[in-house]
Amino acid sequence: MAARGLMLMGHGTTSERGQAQFRELVARAVRRFDGPVEGGFIELAEPSMFSAVGALAARGVDEITIAPVVLLPAGHLKDDAALLANYVRQRWPQINVHLASDLGPTNELLDCLNQRVNAVTAATEAILVVGRGSSDRAANAELHAITRLVAESRGFPTTHTAFVSLTPPTVTAGLDQLARLGADTITVAPYFLFHGVLLDRIADQAQEWARNAQHTVRISAELGPDPLVLDALWLRIREAFGEQVRTSCDACLYRVPSPSDSDTH
């Protein structure tokens, strides 16, 4: 039987807290996966993604599944993950490589986001879901879809989407829009996995807007290395192994349940 290895590919951050959160997720994966596990970063932190797959190869695996720990299908998935997969194929042609997809809008991640919002407020008039922002239009559109899912399936009354970089609307523009819709109390919900400088920027912009507009703004935490995040990641890992595939209707209200739905590990 082939020896399987798992490599978790993180974005990378200069934030020590964010790096520690990623490493905690890797540690959780080690406890769940029956085989060698390594974690590496695309940029800004060590070990690099190349070092991580090298460590797996040195452990004598026959297969490597690269699991990008990224929320949306932007350049880090489409470019960096593909680059890493090709690097493994060229450097170790005897190793079979599988590449998992982005995490996507799973019920697990929506539940995790809901928990983060509930942790800062018992009731709120409006939710501003804030993403990183990308030059990739599909990734930006995906965040708008996630906001819609939050609104419809999580019962939040008024929602809007904003981005902290690269594409409009900005955080302040999103807050302005919700205020025009009549919201006095707004929860800013960053759709980020781990802590980093962009989260600090979101908080600074939201707090400055609140002081000037004289509105109440609460800011929820990032998703972090939560067990629900690992569950979402595990779905993509199993898909890459060809063991289980979810359709784009992961969050459908009327999807017919199957016996395997309860088996997510």
Side-chain angles (χ1 to χ4, degrees), residues 158-169:
T158 306
T159 59
H160 196 52
T161 306
F163 302 92
V164 69
S165 65
L166 296 175
T167 190

Side-chain angles (χ1 to χ4, degrees), residues 25 103 108-109 112 193 223-234:
L25 187 70
L103 296 178
E108 291 80 4
L109 293 182
C112 192
L193 281 169
L223 302 180
D226 192 278
L228 287 168
V229 172
L230 184 61
D231 288 343
L233 180 63
W234 226 252

